[in-house]
Structures are given as structure tokens and as C-alpha cells.
Amino acid sequence: MTSTQDAAEPGVPARRRPATLAALTPKQRLVFVVATLAGGVSAWHALAPSWQVPVPTSANLGEERLQDFRDALYFPIREFFAGGNPYDPAAMFAHWPVRQDFNLYQPYHLLLHAPFALPGYRAGAVAFSVVSLLLLVALAAMAAHAVRRIAGVPFAVTTAVAAALLVTSQVGKAQLYVGQINPLVAVGAAGALLARRDRPGWAAAALALAWLKPQYGFPLAVLLFARGSRRVALTGTAIAAAASLPVVALLVVRSGGIGPFLDVVVANLTHARGTDYGAVDSPTAQRIDVAAVFFRVTGGVPAALEPVVLAGVLGASALLARRLTTPLADLLTCLAVVVCVVHQPGDVLIAVPSMAAVAALWWRHRAEPGLGAAGLAVLALAVPFAHLYTVDSAVVATLGSRVAVTVDGAAVVLAWALAVFAAVRLTRVRAA
């Protein structure tokens, strides 16, 4: 039997199956057709909010449909092209019908997503949602590619099944319902991990996309560097910085200098820390990072817990991931990214390809030491995806709203702990 490490290596040939639809077995064709139809129905329902949502006004600020598209994309870009500074919470609240401030996304976001903010609101919302759906399909294709490396399952069938599951899941539907940019960031992060050895140039470009949200880009770059992909980490970070530099320079000029611009940055961070969705000690926040979960479980948060968690999780994960081969190293990397610093349930999208690959690896080698814990990690990580509205309603009714907003984070933190345990076990077995 092929060893666990060998089966995980990207360059090791896996059992191949027919790639074309015509060459699929009848059972495989049936699975493909059913998954495509089911995924199409789910996709239609997931896209519906983009053309049903009312045009934002001060009277409907509580509207949740496309709220992130409204608050983090459409109106910040409008403010930027109108000559203002969208990072200034006071300016955004004064000029536009937004409910949330514009967080410190990479400044190149204001140019990259400009095509969705130039037309009317509804046209931009529909176009953005369709592109986000296509990115989810691309993420499913990455998962299929990762699985095919290990199990040789037909690419088309796996892509159809993964896409249908993804767009039907709570995490997938939420991206389109609230208009998040996570699908693009997830494709970037997953692409950087998948291509870091064979195509480092493409991996660096993908990492630059992951830097769109710094809470993704920074820990991912650190872990890639620690795992030996130094060129990818440094080049991807440099690309993101270079793309943002012209926007930053323009905003500095508009602000009247570096000092006033930094004052806006401080005001932005201060506002974010005081919101009910961003504060570490908020009982209603849906944060899934270790610090926030610790608060909601214990009711208290020690001073400086967040930087300690950041350093501890990154340090431990980097030490273990560099000793492993893919895909478990990739899963551990993705889990470390989302538990070390501020993240929410939808951010686990970055782990979809590595989840699928580890599941396939566990299925083929489930009797080997350490892979049982890896399989359990995948199962725990599936909790946010299965946290549908009906499930949430049942949890709230029986256990209360605080448990409902904690269960996803607790499951993700548990998944990271299980991945760490699996990594330690596999490392010891390999050393023996």
C-alpha cells in the first residue's frame, strides 16, 4: 500500500479515472446529472437576493441582503471615486446609507471591484453575485483537483458534487446572501497553497488576492514562508503592497498628509473594536477565532489574549505544518489562519480544497495512525457548512442565542486542535 505521505504528495501519481463525460460509467453520469441539477436549483435560490434586495436608503439600513456588498464594496468605492476617504467611518456614515464601517481591506480592493460599483446598485449587485457564484464553482473545481491527486475520482463528477454541496451549505449561501468577497479571497488562498510548489508565480498572484483581507494575507504569508515557500510569501505580499500603493498615496494626499491619514486608520480600528460584531468580548459576535470563542465559553477574556493567540497558533502550526506533506499540512495551515485572528464562519471557505483532500486521504488510509483525528477535524470543520437556518432556529430554541453564535467557532477551534493532534501523531510515526 502507498504510504500516507506518498499518497499526499502532489507529484505522486494516483489511480486515474476517465476524464471525459462520455467515458464515465452510468452511475457516475447519474451522480453528475443529479448534482448539477441540485446545484443549479440551489444556485438560483442563492442568487435571488441580488435582484430582490431594495435599493439602499436611510430607511432600510437593517436590510441584511447584500449588506456587505453595500457597506464594504459599493458605497466605499463610490466614496473613493467621489473624492473622499472610505476608511473614515464618519465620512461613510455621513454620505451614504450604510450600517457598518468599511474595514481595513487592502486599498487595491477599491480598484479591483470598481466595475461592480460603477453601474446602478441592482445591476452591480447581480453582477457581483454571479461572479461570486462562479468563484464558488472554481473553489469546488480546486477541491476536485485536490481529490483527484489522491483518489483518482473523475474531475467533472467531483466538481459537480462539491459545487452543489457548497452552494447549498450555509457558508456558501451566506456569501451570496450578504454579498461577501470571501469567494475571491478563498480562491486566492487555496490557489496559493495548491500551486506553491509547481507554479510559484501563480501562487504568488493568488496570495496577493488573499491579502485583500489582511487577516487572511498576513497569517497565510507567514505560514507559507515557514513551510519553505519563501518566494511565494514575499512576492505575493509585494504584489499586494504594490497594487495598493497608488491608492494609499492618493488617500494620503486627500487627507492632507500621512499624519491625518494615520488618524483615520486609528479611528477605523477604534470603531471596529467597539462594534457588536467585531469586539472580542461581544456575546453576539459570530467570530470563530480562539480569543472570541474563549470569551463566549468562559465569559471573560485575559488582557493581551489576542496577540498571544496570534503568536501561539501561528508558531505551533508553522512548526508542525513544515514537517508534514500535503494535504494535512494545507488543512492545518487554513485552520490556523481562521483561528489565530478575527474571522467569521464564512471565512472557512479557504479550507474547502484541503478538507476534500484530507477526507479522501482518510478514506483510503483510515487505518493508519493519526488519520482518524484528521478525519474528525474535517467533520468538525463541516459544522459551519451544516449550520443552516433551520438548524440555527432549533439551537436557539433549545440552548439559546449565545450557544448558537458559539457553536461554529467552537467547532472550528476543535478542528484546529484535532489537526494539531493528527500532525503530532503522524510526525512521531514518521520519525519512528
Side-chain angles (χ1 to χ4, degrees):
M1 177 183 292
T2 306
S3 70
T4 301
Q5 272 72 24
D6 288 342
E9 284 290 345
V12 174
R15 182 165 46 94
R16 297 298 177 187
R17 296 285 180 86
T20 62
L21 293 179
L24 297 179
T25 66
K27 185 177 180 179
Q28 290 169 346
R29 287 198 209 103
L30 177 62
V31 171
F32 176 80
V33 171
V34 171
T36 301
L37 291 176
V41 172
S42 294
W44 179 262
H45 285 289
L47 285 173
S50 65
W51 60 74
Q52 294 173 347
V53 63
V55 175
T57 66
S58 58
N60 59 18
L61 292 180
E63 176 62 61
E64 293 183 350
R65 289 173 294 181
L66 278 299
Q67 67 175 12
D68 280 14
F69 173 77
R70 175 194 66 196
D71 297 346
L73 193 153
Y74 191 83
F75 288 119
I77 294 175
R78 288 272 175 154
E79 173 70 12
F80 176 71
F81 280 101
N85 185 349
Y87 294 105
D88 185 354
M92 289 301 301
F93 291 134
H95 300 160
W96 308 101
V98 295
R99 186 176 62 170
Q100 306 167 101
D101 69 319
F102 176 55
N103 292 326
L104 295 178
Y105 292 9
Q106 281 286 341
Y108 75 78
H109 161 70
L110 299 170
L111 299 179
L112 179 66
H113 287 111
F116 301 112
L118 296 179
Y121 183 80
R122 184 164 285 111
V126 171
F128 177 76
S129 296
V130 169
V131 170
S132 296
L133 175 63
L134 295 176
L135 287 169
L136 290 179
V137 175
L139 193 64
M142 289 182 173
H145 176 69
V147 169
R148 187 173 60 173
R149 284 180 169 182
I150 295 169
V153 181
F155 176 79
V157 176
T158 310
T159 299
V161 172
L165 291 174
L166 191 53
V167 79
T168 305
S169 72
Q170 181 61 26
V171 169
K173 291 193 301 182
Q175 310 308 308
L176 305 182
Y177 187 81
V178 300
Q180 294 182 337
I181 64 171
N182 285 333
L184 177 62
V185 178
V187 166
L193 290 170
L194 289 173
R196 68 186 187 90
R197 289 180 175 175
D198 300 332
R199 296 178 176 85
W202 284 108
L207 176 61
L209 288 177
W211 263 105
L212 188 58
K213 285 186 174 182
Q215 71 265 36
Y216 281 98
F218 172 72
L220 182 57
V222 169
L223 290 169
L224 285 171
F225 189 91
R227 290 177 60 184
S229 297
R230 297 181 178 181
R231 176 184 169 189
V232 172
L234 295 176
T235 305
T237 301
I239 292 172
S244 293
L245 188 58
V247 179
V248 172
L250 180 58
L251 292 177
V252 168
V253 171
R254 288 179 180 177
S255 300
I258 295 179
F261 175 74
L262 293 179
D263 290 340
V264 168
V265 172
V266 171
N268 186 290
L269 291 171
T270 301
H271 182 274
R273 283 195 296 266
T275 61
D276 59 355
Y277 57 85
V280 67
D281 56 353
S282 169
T284 61
Q286 292 186 337
R287 285 176 52 173
I288 58 172
D289 52 285
V290 171
V293 172
F294 182 88
F295 168 77
R296 290 201 302 274
V297 171
T298 65
V301 53
L305 177 61
E306 289 183 281
V308 170
V309 166
L310 176 64
V313 169
L314 287 184
S317 300
L319 184 64
L320 290 169
R322 66 187 300 172
R323 298 177 180 177
L324 297 170
T325 51
T326 53
L328 184 56
D330 288 348
L331 180 64
L332 181 60
T333 297
C334 292
L335 286 169
V337 168
V338 296
V339 301
C340 73
V341 71
V342 182
H343 279 284
Q344 295 186 336
D347 297 350
V348 298
L349 272 179
I350 66 170
V352 166
S354 58
M355 281 179 68
V358 170
L361 183 64
W362 171 83
W363 181 253
R364 291 193 69 192
H365 305 277
R366 51 190 178 277
E368 295 190 20
L371 285 185
L376 290 174
V378 172
L379 190 62
L381 190 54
V383 169
F385 292 90
H387 197 165
L388 299 166
Y389 176 77
T390 52
V391 175
D392 187 69
S393 299
V395 173
V396 171
T398 56
L399 301 174
S401 58
R402 184 158 180 166
V403 173
V405 298
T406 304
V407 65
D408 287 347
V412 175
V413 172
L414 175 61
W416 175 75
L418 287 167
V420 168
F421 177 82
V424 171
R425 185 77 184 277
L426 286 170
T427 300
R428 288 178 178 174
V429 169
R430 185 178 182 183

Short mmCIF file of all heavy atoms in Angstrom, two decimals, residues 368-391:
data_model
loop_
_atom_site.label_atom_id
_atom_site.label_comp_id
_atom_site.label_asym_id
_atom_site.label_seq_id
_atom_site.Cartn_x
_atom_site.Cartn_y
_atom_site.Cartn_z
N GLU A 368 -4.51 4.01 9.28
CA GLU A 368 -3.18 4.44 9.67
C GLU A 368 -3.24 5.41 10.85
O GLU A 368 -4.17 6.20 10.97
CB GLU A 368 -2.48 5.10 8.47
CG GLU A 368 -2.23 4.11 7.34
CD GLU A 368 -1.32 4.70 6.27
OE1 GLU A 368 -0.60 5.67 6.58
OE2 GLU A 368 -1.33 4.17 5.14
N PRO A 369 -2.24 5.37 11.74
CA PRO A 369 -2.23 6.23 12.94
C PRO A 369 -2.27 7.71 12.57
O PRO A 369 -1.58 8.16 11.67
CB PRO A 369 -0.90 5.88 13.61
CG PRO A 369 -0.53 4.54 13.06
CD PRO A 369 -1.07 4.50 11.68
N GLY A 370 -3.11 8.45 13.29
CA GLY A 370 -3.19 9.89 13.09
C GLY A 370 -4.26 10.34 12.14
O GLY A 370 -4.80 11.45 12.26
N LEU A 371 -4.62 9.48 11.18
CA LEU A 371 -5.60 9.91 10.19
C LEU A 371 -7.02 9.91 10.74
O LEU A 371 -7.89 10.59 10.20
CB LEU A 371 -5.52 9.03 8.94
CG LEU A 371 -4.32 9.32 8.04
CD1 LEU A 371 -4.39 8.50 6.76
CD2 LEU A 371 -4.22 10.80 7.70
N GLY A 372 -7.25 9.15 11.82
CA GLY A 372 -8.57 9.22 12.46
C GLY A 372 -8.84 10.61 12.98
O GLY A 372 -9.94 11.16 12.80
N ALA A 373 -7.86 11.22 13.64
CA ALA A 373 -8.01 12.59 14.14
C ALA A 373 -8.17 13.58 13.00
O ALA A 373 -8.92 14.55 13.10
CB ALA A 373 -6.80 12.96 15.00
N ALA A 374 -7.47 13.33 11.89
CA ALA A 374 -7.60 14.20 10.72
C ALA A 374 -9.02 14.13 10.16
O ALA A 374 -9.61 15.16 9.78
CB ALA A 374 -6.59 13.80 9.65
N GLY A 375 -9.58 12.92 10.10
CA GLY A 375 -10.96 12.78 9.65
C GLY A 375 -11.94 13.49 10.56
O GLY A 375 -12.90 14.12 10.10
N LEU A 376 -11.70 13.40 11.86
CA LEU A 376 -12.56 14.10 12.82
C LEU A 376 -12.43 15.61 12.68
O LEU A 376 -13.40 16.35 12.88
CB LEU A 376 -12.22 13.67 14.25
CG LEU A 376 -12.59 12.24 14.63
CD1 LEU A 376 -12.06 11.91 16.02
CD2 LEU A 376 -14.12 12.06 14.58
N ALA A 377 -11.24 16.08 12.32
CA ALA A 377 -11.05 17.52 12.10
C ALA A 377 -11.91 18.01 10.94
O ALA A 377 -12.53 19.07 11.00
CB ALA A 377 -9.58 17.82 11.83
N VAL A 378 -11.95 17.21 9.86
CA VAL A 378 -12.80 17.55 8.72
C VAL A 378 -14.26 17.57 9.14
O VAL A 378 -15.03 18.45 8.75
CB VAL A 378 -12.57 16.57 7.56
CG1 VAL A 378 -13.58 16.80 6.45
CG2 VAL A 378 -11.15 16.71 7.02
N LEU A 379 -14.66 16.58 9.94
CA LEU A 379 -16.05 16.51 10.41
C LEU A 379 -16.41 17.73 11.25
O LEU A 379 -17.49 18.32 11.10
CB LEU A 379 -16.25 15.23 11.22
CG LEU A 379 -17.68 14.86 11.59
CD1 LEU A 379 -18.52 14.63 10.34
CD2 LEU A 379 -17.71 13.63 12.49
N ALA A 380 -15.51 18.14 12.14
CA ALA A 380 -15.76 19.33 12.96
C ALA A 380 -15.84 20.58 12.10
O ALA A 380 -16.68 21.46 12.33
CB ALA A 380 -14.67 19.46 14.02
N LEU A 381 -14.98 20.66 11.10
CA LEU A 381 -14.96 21.83 10.23
C LEU A 381 -16.21 21.91 9.37
O LEU A 381 -16.55 22.98 8.84
CB LEU A 381 -13.71 21.82 9.37
CG LEU A 381 -13.38 23.07 8.56
CD1 LEU A 381 -13.32 24.30 9.46
CD2 LEU A 381 -12.07 22.90 7.82
N ALA A 382 -16.91 20.79 9.21
CA ALA A 382 -18.14 20.79 8.42
C ALA A 382 -19.31 21.44 9.16
O ALA A 382 -20.34 21.75 8.54
CB ALA A 382 -18.51 19.36 8.03
N VAL A 383 -19.17 21.66 10.48
CA VAL A 383 -20.27 22.22 11.27
C VAL A 383 -20.75 23.57 10.73
O VAL A 383 -21.97 23.76 10.56
CB VAL A 383 -19.87 22.32 12.75
CG1 VAL A 383 -20.90 23.14 13.54
CG2 VAL A 383 -19.74 20.93 13.35
N PRO A 384 -19.88 24.55 10.45
CA PRO A 384 -20.39 25.82 9.90
C PRO A 384 -21.13 25.65 8.59
O PRO A 384 -22.10 26.38 8.31
CB PRO A 384 -19.12 26.65 9.71
CG PRO A 384 -18.11 26.05 10.63
CD PRO A 384 -18.42 24.59 10.66
N PHE A 385 -20.71 24.70 7.75
CA PHE A 385 -21.39 24.47 6.48
C PHE A 385 -22.79 23.91 6.69
O PHE A 385 -23.70 24.18 5.92
CB PHE A 385 -20.56 23.51 5.62
CG PHE A 385 -19.27 24.07 5.14
CD1 PHE A 385 -18.11 23.91 5.90
CD2 PHE A 385 -19.18 24.74 3.94
CE1 PHE A 385 -16.90 24.44 5.46
CE2 PHE A 385 -17.97 25.27 3.49
CZ PHE A 385 -16.83 25.11 4.26
N ALA A 386 -22.97 23.11 7.75
CA ALA A 386 -24.26 22.48 8.03
C ALA A 386 -25.16 23.33 8.92
O ALA A 386 -26.30 22.96 9.20
CB ALA A 386 -24.04 21.12 8.69
N HIS A 387 -24.66 24.48 9.35
CA HIS A 387 -25.41 25.34 10.27
C HIS A 387 -26.47 26.16 9.49
O HIS A 387 -26.42 27.38 9.44
CB HIS A 387 -24.46 26.27 11.01
CG HIS A 387 -25.05 26.88 12.24
ND1 HIS A 387 -24.29 27.49 13.20
CD2 HIS A 387 -26.33 26.98 12.68
CE1 HIS A 387 -25.06 27.96 14.16
NE2 HIS A 387 -26.30 27.66 13.85
N LEU A 388 -27.43 25.45 8.92
CA LEU A 388 -28.49 26.08 8.13
C LEU A 388 -29.47 26.82 9.04
O LEU A 388 -29.44 26.68 10.27
CB LEU A 388 -29.22 25.02 7.30
CG LEU A 388 -28.35 24.26 6.30
CD1 LEU A 388 -29.06 23.03 5.79
CD2 LEU A 388 -27.95 25.17 5.15
N TYR A 389 -30.36 27.58 8.43
CA TYR A 389 -31.31 28.40 9.20
C TYR A 389 -32.16 27.53 10.11
O TYR A 389 -32.40 27.88 11.27
CB TYR A 389 -32.20 29.20 8.24
CG TYR A 389 -33.26 30.00 8.94
CD1 TYR A 389 -32.95 31.19 9.59
CD2 TYR A 389 -34.59 29.54 8.99
CE1 TYR A 389 -33.92 31.92 10.25
CE2 TYR A 389 -35.56 30.27 9.64
CZ TYR A 389 -35.23 31.45 10.27
OH TYR A 389 -36.20 32.16 10.92
N THR A 390 -32.64 26.40 9.61
CA THR A 390 -33.48 25.52 10.44
C THR A 390 -32.69 24.96 11.61
O THR A 390 -33.22 24.83 12.72
CB THR A 390 -34.03 24.36 9.59
OG1 THR A 390 -32.95 23.71 8.92
CG2 THR A 390 -35.02 24.87 8.55
N VAL A 391 -31.42 24.64 11.38
CA VAL A 391 -30.57 24.16 12.47
C VAL A 391 -30.36 25.26 13.50
O VAL A 391 -30.45 25.03 14.71
CB VAL A 391 -29.22 23.66 11.92
CG1 VAL A 391 -28.28 23.27 13.06
CG2 VAL A 391 -29.42 22.50 10.97
#
